[in-house]
Structure formats: C-alpha cells, structure tokens
Amino acid sequence: MNKKTRPAYLGVVLGVALIGLGVAYEKLWCDPRELLQETAEPQAPHRLIRDGVTVEFEARPLAGGELKEGGFANIRFKLSDQTSGQPLSGMAPGAWIDPAQSAPVGDRDQSCKARVALFLKSSIGARPLLDLNSYFLLMLNNDASLTVIDPTVSVGGVTSTMARIDLPGRPMDWAATSDDKQVFVSIPERGKVAVIDTETFTRVADLDAGDQPLRVALQPDQHRLWVGNNSRDPAKGGVTVIDVPGRTTLKSFNTGTGHHEIAFSADSRFAYVSNRDSGTLSVIDIPEMRLAKTIKVGPHPLSVSYSALSQAVYVVDGEEGSVRVFDARSHQLRHTVKAEQGLGPMRFSSDGRYGIVLNTLENQALVIDASTDKLIHHIPVAAEPYQLTFTKGYAYVRGLASPKVTMINLSSLGEGRSPIVQGFEAGPAAPRQAGDLPLAQGLSVSRDDNSVFVVNPVDNTTYFYAEGMNAPMSGYNNRGHQARAALVVDRSLREVAPGVYGSTVKLPAAGKFDVAFLLNQPQIIHCFSTDVAEAPNTGKRKGAHAEFIGLDQPMSQHSAINARVRIVGDDGKPRLGLNDLSLRYFLAPSSMPRNLQLQEVGEGVYQAALTLPEAGAWYLHVQSPSLGRKFAEENYTSLRVLPAAATNASQTDVRNVR
C-alpha cells in the first residue's frame, strides 16, 4: 500500500469498525473535547441511569471469589428501559478496560469521554489495556497442543501467547460453534474429540468419536457434531454423532469405507456423507437418526457441498471429473456437470450462488452457478490448490505447491463475464515443504468478513491480509510450536441474553481499573470501576527483569527522550556489562519494528536516545540474546504519544506489563 492510499484505507477500516460498534462515523475525527457533555447525576458505582436507559455493570470471576490478576472474568452489561424495565435487545455497545485515572469527581465523566474518543481514534490515539471489542487466534499445532495468540500485541516480532492447551494426541481437524464458545478437535490416534472451552481456553472433555476420527462438522442448528471415521476396518467406517449440549456420543453409522466429507441441509433435517472408497453418498435423517438412503455416485467421491439457493447437494468425483447434483428433498439426481480429472474440494459462497471446485491437477478453480447448475468459469489459481474459503467479496484459494493465495472477486462472476483475479504471497515457501498437514484449514476469515489469516507452516507464521492491500499487513509467529491452522475466536461483546451483553477476559494485572462503556443510541459514555487483586506470589520475580525509568507520563509527538531501563538479576542486584542489550519498539497495532542499541550508563542502567514521530500507542521491548527469548517476551512497556492538540485532553498513565 502506498502512502497516498493508506490514509483512505485506514479511514474505511475504522469507519466499518465503528459502524459495528454503533458509533457514528462523523464522531471519529472530531476533537475528543467535543464529546464532553453535561455530567449525569451521581449513580451507584455499578449502575447508571441516563437518557431513559439503565446500564448495570458486573465483573464476575469464573473461578469464584475475587477478581485476581491472571484469572478469567465474565464482563456483563445489562441494558434496560428505565421506565418499563424491559431489556434492550439488538444494541451494539463497546467497552474497554484500562488502569484507573485519578480525577476530581466532577471531572471523571468528562475524562472518561475523552479517553473513549481516543480509543476510537486508534490511528492517532492509544490502546487500552483490554479491548472488549477484540478477538484471539487459536492455533492448531503440529504437536499435541493448541496455542492462543492475542493479535493486538503480536506485532513487532514478539508474539503474545495467551495460553497453551494440551491435547491427548496430534490434532487433525476442528470446528467451532457459531458463538465461538466451544471448539471440537479430532484426535485420530486416540479415537477422541477434544472439547475446548474458549471462555477459559481449557480442554474440558475428551469424547469417544469412533475409530480414526478425522473430519468434524457441526450441523447448522449446532445441536450435533458429526465426525468422519476413516477406519481401515470396513465395519467401523462411517460417521459418529455427538450431542453438543450434553457432550455425549449418541450414535455411529457404518456408511462405507474411505475418507468421509460431510454436508447438511440448511434446516438440519439431513446429513450427507460421502464415502470415497465405496463410491457412495449416505443420506441420514437427523431427527430420526436413521440411514435414509445410500446413493451410488461414482468411483471416487472426494467432497460434498450443499447450496441453500438451489436446495441441492453437490458431490464431486475426482477420478471421473464430475459433479453430480442431487435434489436435497427427493434425493434424486438432478444434473451432472462434466469436467476434468483432478477435482477435489468444493465450497459455496455464503449466498449459495457460486460453488467453486478446485482441480489440483490442472491448477484451476471451476465455478458452478447454482441458479442454473452450469459450469461457467475455469480460473487459473495457485499451484496445486487444496484449500478454499470465502469472505463477503472474495473466494480465497490456497495452493499446496505455492506460497501464493489467489483471490477471486465474487462480484465479477457470471456467465459470459471475465472474472477478476488477484493474489498475494503468504510467506516465503509453499506449504508442501512443511510435510504432513492436517485437514484443518490454513485459511481463516476474520470477524469483519473482509480479511483473512493465512498460516504458512514452513516459516511458522500466520499472515494477516486485509482486502485492498497489496500484501499482508503483519505476521504472527507461533513461538515454541509449529502452526498448521488458525481459527478466529471472537471476544467482542455479544448479546448473551435479552438485553445482556458480555465477554470473557483474562485480567493481565492487579490494581484499580476503569471499565469504559459506550452506547451510540442514545449516546452514553461512562466509566465504571473495578478492582483486581494481586495473585499470590506475583511479587516474587524469577530471573532477570527490566525496570523502565522515567516513562511514567505520556509524551508529545516528535519529542526526543532518553529511554532508560534498569536490568535487575534474580538476586535483586543490578546486572552489569550487558553488551547485547537492545530496545525494539513499534507503533501499535501493526508497524515495522525498529531497533536501538542500549548503552550502559552505570549501576545496571542502560539507555538510548529515542524520538517517536507518530502519535499513538508504542510498545517498547528490551531484548538480550544472552538473557534468552523469555526475557524479551516478558519485559516490555507501552508508551502513549499524543498529538499536540490532544495532549491536554487525556492524561493516561504509562504502565509496565509483565
């Protein structure tokens, strides 16, 4: 992206984000002081009544007791009509958590509004400690584990690994519920499906899933999980059905041999299971839990997909080079699309209009129009295409033999039209070079549905690409593990009950915090307060650590400072003579990192002259190869740089995060 287009792009991104929060776009670029309004009448600490709306705030620890640093907490806002008490559904509140600021009682509300304005103006403001409008990346690893990455601090070369989840064996595939609260992971070597609770990022159950469970799929109503069993024993090949609410194994169906792909009718009435080696499609009546029909479909059915638009099931045969179309109700053959050998994965766009089939042998994506069941396009794509996903505007195709990701513009498709195709490089090497890969996709759509995360298993980096960019914006390294797939876990506020909006967060530090709340209609901005206790033994530091000196106030744009840090050993004494100490710093949320050598000035204190030219939130990491990677990951701070016009609008403490 060049300098001329970057501001326009950022404006569009921020505008879309604010619409999602219910914030008028014109409020984005106003001076924070313009948002200051008359202070409301004094309210109870966790209850606010303003403009006919009652807002009740609660922070409850998941483990019970008091809120403690390092623990998980449920954050809840209950919105109701002041007069009737009726819950207010369909709202879009936003919230942030940041260290509390001291302010006179009469100025507290105004200070809160100014800070919220700066949080919204993320390009020229500052980042809060916790953004309740954010998300996490769940990484499926090559070993028996998953890792959780916080992308908001996973920039500048140092990844924030929020949690590690151990599994009973190496994972193969996964599926998340629509609310992102549960993730089901198949473990073929153990015959299990692991259940991950994303509220706490812990493994809460291991369910029996038949012999060699590989593919997993949730039916549309989320009531049951279907698991494909690739057993070598013909008597055990088929699918296993798991009850999602009860976390129990319900039944197994012996549908046939070989690999199984699974699709569902939109109303969750039927499940369609392909049986590769048997050359059949099994139709299962879900309410009655019985095998309704077995259909001979060709010598080598590799994938099955459903279109809600045509109300039909599409079965792809790779050996024959055909796509058979079956009516979803009568299960009768409606049409056969003839193509070439080498066909494989098939998926439909979200509206069910265009089905894209990948041909690995021909390096093509074939487009079928579900409104006519005609093959309308042959599109060249990345070499050996094997994975496919959709956003609202594009189809993304990942090649096994190329680092390139191909993008197909959906609005350009149609019979007689010329598709618009572009692409980008996601890493330096083709995924094939990583060796064995799971079924889980290395392509994951972000929550805004106009960007993707792409895992490159060779350089162990997950790249973030936003539509409109020339190349990925940033990359996230999965330190200590080999990433194979990624899944976006949305942690933004959701309506969990009528009028109740909540999220689960991990509390990173102890102290008194402001919980900033925003509602656009009517416009309400208010800061609630909560206290987080220090966890036991947190005061006992292990190993060397950094103490930042003189960075306790926000600084003005273009100001020159001496960044000073004291290095203290585990014995409490200053560490002298460190010749490899450097300062790595970057502007959040994503920018190229810069490095400065730190020079010793005495008594374990090291410094470097530093000028931060752009306003925003900067992260400063202290690094030393001799002190190890963990030292760099744990010793950093954030520094807020304000534009001259906003210097007096917000007084925010700088905080060490460790």
Side-chain angles (χ1 to χ4, degrees):
M1 176 181 294
N2 58 44
K3 293 182 179 179
K4 292 183 179 180
T5 60
R6 184 181 181 189
Y9 170 76
L10 290 176
V12 171
V13 170
L14 287 171
V16 172
L18 289 172
I19 290 172
L21 287 174
V23 178
Y25 181 77
E26 58 268 18
K27 291 292 185 184
L28 176 63
W29 300 111
C30 68
D31 188 277
R33 288 164 288 190
E34 294 176 7
L35 290 180
L36 305 184
Q37 302 174 349
E38 293 296 325
T39 304
E41 295 180 5
Q43 305 291 339
H46 298 298
R47 191 167 185 264
L48 173 75
I49 299 176
R50 185 180 296 171
D51 296 334
V53 175
T54 300
V55 183
E56 297 175 76
F57 161 69
E58 179 185 33
R60 178 181 298 175
L62 293 187
E66 62 181 349
L67 297 172
K68 291 183 180 180
E69 64 174 312
F72 287 88
N74 274 325
I75 306 297
R76 295 287 185 267
F77 297 95
K78 181 180 179 181
L79 308 184
S80 58
D81 182 84
Q82 178 186 357
T83 303
S84 66
Q86 290 297 311
L88 298 178
S89 295
M91 311 298 280
W96 302 262
I97 299 178
D98 213 35
Q101 298 179 6
S102 58
V105 176
D107 296 337
R108 176 173 168 77
D109 202 44
Q110 295 182 351
S111 173
C112 177
K113 291 172 183 175
R115 293 170 72 192
V116 168
L118 288 175
F119 293 157
L120 293 175
K121 295 183 180 184
S122 56
S123 62
I124 63 170
R127 301 179 62 83
L129 185 63
L130 288 175
D131 187 343
L132 273 66
N133 319 295
S134 62
Y135 60 92
F136 298 103
L137 283 179
L138 188 61
M139 311 301 299
L140 184 142
N141 298 322
N142 194 40
D143 57 20
S145 71
L146 308 176
T147 49
V148 185
I149 290 176
D150 183 353
T152 62
V153 295
S154 299
V155 290
V158 178
T159 296
S160 173
T161 301
M162 183 177 174
R164 170 194 163 103
I165 305 170
D166 291 323
L167 299 173
R170 289 179 60 183
M172 177 57 67
D173 193 23
W174 56 9
T177 54
S178 58
D179 60 6
D180 285 343
K181 289 187 176 181
Q182 295 185 91
V183 176
F184 300 90
V185 186
S186 62
I187 314 291
E189 64 191 81
R190 300 294 183 185
K192 300 284 186 180
V193 164
V195 184
I196 308 302
D197 179 359
T198 61
E199 296 281 308
T200 58
F201 288 119
T202 56
R203 187 173 105 243
V204 294
D206 295 322
L207 308 178
D208 291 332
D211 190 29
Q212 286 294 302
L214 269 73
R215 177 65 77 196
V216 291
L218 278 161
Q219 61 190 50
D221 64 9
Q222 310 284 293
H223 290 166
R224 293 183 176 95
L225 177 80
W226 295 69
V227 186
N229 298 117
N230 288 27
S231 176
R232 295 180 180 179
D233 183 348
K236 297 180 180 179
V239 288
T240 297
V241 187
I242 292 173
D243 178 65
V244 171
R247 294 178 181 169
T248 56
T249 303
L250 294 178
K251 188 174 182 178
S252 292
F253 292 90
N254 178 216
T255 60
T257 58
H259 178 68
H260 309 281
E261 291 292 328
I262 308 165
F264 307 96
S265 58
D267 59 1
S268 296
R269 172 65 191 275
F270 293 105
Y272 307 96
V273 181
S274 64
N275 310 295
R276 184 184 61 190
D277 295 347
S278 297
T280 58
L281 176 73
S282 298
V283 182
I284 298 174
D285 187 310
I286 295 177
E288 297 182 9
M289 288 300 287
R290 65 179 179 86
L291 181 60
K293 193 172 186 178
T294 299
I295 306 170
K296 190 68 178 178
V297 292
H300 215 65
L302 289 179
S303 63
V304 57
S305 190
Y306 174 84
S307 168
L309 178 67
S310 64
Q311 296 188 18
V313 182
Y314 296 73
V315 183
V316 179
D317 192 288
E319 182 178 322
E320 190 179 65
S322 66
V323 180
R324 286 179 169 82
V325 185
F326 293 89
D327 185 272
R329 289 297 178 181
S330 67
H331 307 136
Q332 297 298 312
L333 181 64
R334 179 191 293 178
H335 182 65
T336 300
V337 178
K338 298 290 187 180
E340 302 80 22
Q341 284 189 333
L343 300 184
M346 179 178 185
R347 286 194 174 192
F348 275 90
S349 55
S350 59
D351 60 1
R353 174 69 184 275
Y354 296 113
I356 295 183
V357 191
L358 303 182
N359 190 318
T360 302
L361 297 181
E362 301 293 334
N363 299 331
Q364 290 184 337
L366 281 61
V367 182
I368 296 175
D369 187 338
S371 66
T372 61
D373 287 335
K374 287 185 178 180
L375 176 59
I376 59 173
H377 297 299
H378 287 74
I379 302 174
V381 293
E384 298 185 27
Y386 76 112
Q387 289 184 341
L388 169 69
T389 195
F390 291 88
T391 62
K392 288 183 294 186
Y394 290 86
Y396 289 78
V397 179
R398 187 81 161 111
L400 189 62
S402 169
K404 185 176 181 179
V405 176
T406 302
M407 300 169 59
I408 301 172
N409 189 315
L410 297 178
S411 65
S412 69
L413 300 180
E415 190 170 7
R417 304 182 67 184
S418 297
I420 298 174
V421 181
Q422 60 195 83
F424 60 91
E425 301 282 331
R432 176 187 292 281
Q433 297 181 27
D436 292 339
L437 297 174
L439 288 179
Q441 289 231 110
L443 291 167
S444 183
V445 178
S446 68
R447 62 176 184 167
D448 56 13
D449 209 24
N450 61 9
S451 53
V452 294
F453 292 91
V454 185
V455 177
N456 189 307
V458 179
D459 68 353
N460 195 30
T461 299
T462 300
Y463 294 90
F464 174 69
Y465 175 82
E467 291 168 7
M469 303 287 289
N470 294 324
M473 293 176 63
S474 53
Y476 309 105
N477 189 272
N478 187 24
R479 295 178 182 272
H481 303 276
Q482 290 295 319
R484 290 294 185 262
L487 193 66
V488 175
V489 177
D490 191 355
R491 278 293 179 80
S492 57
L493 290 175
R494 295 189 179 194
E495 190 167 8
V496 296
V500 179
Y501 303 83
S503 181
T504 301
V505 299
K506 185 177 183 180
L507 303 169
K512 189 175 185 63
F513 294 91
D514 286 336
V515 182
F517 173 83
L518 168 69
L519 190 66
N520 190 51
Q521 292 295 333
Q523 188 179 84
I524 297 175
I525 301 175
H526 182 76
C527 282
F528 297 96
S529 295
T530 192
D531 294 298
V532 179
E534 185 175 287
N537 301 320
T538 54
K540 299 179 180 179
R541 294 180 180 266
K542 295 182 179 180
H545 64 273
E547 297 176 351
F548 293 89
I549 303 171
L551 300 179
D552 55 354
Q553 292 293 329
M555 62 178 290
S556 298
Q557 190 175 359
H558 300 298
S559 297
I561 62 169
N562 274 326
R564 307 180 73 204
V565 60
R566 178 182 291 108
I567 307 301
V568 180
D570 53 7
D571 57 0
K573 297 180 180 180
R575 290 291 300 269
L576 309 177
L578 293 173
N579 298 319
D580 60 353
L581 205 64
S582 64
L583 184 71
R584 187 179 183 90
Y585 61 103
F586 54 90
L587 178 67
S590 60
S591 67
M592 291 300 295
R594 313 173 197 188
N595 290 278
L596 285 175
Q597 191 72 24
L598 288 166
Q599 303 295 330
E600 187 172 7
V601 295
E603 296 298 324
V605 176
Y606 301 77
Q607 72 175 26
L610 179 65
T611 300
L612 302 178
E614 298 181 59
W618 289 78
Y619 282 100
L620 285 67
H621 290 260
V622 180
Q623 301 185 124
S624 170
S626 63
L627 295 179
R629 186 184 69 203
K630 186 177 181 181
F631 176 83
E633 292 179 347
E634 292 185 347
N635 289 277
Y636 64 96
T637 191
S638 64
L639 176 61
R640 185 164 297 176
V641 178
L642 300 178
T647 301
N648 297 323
S650 174
Q651 294 296 323
T652 302
D653 294 337
V654 175
R655 52 197 175 270
N656 289 344
V657 183
R658 186 177 190 268

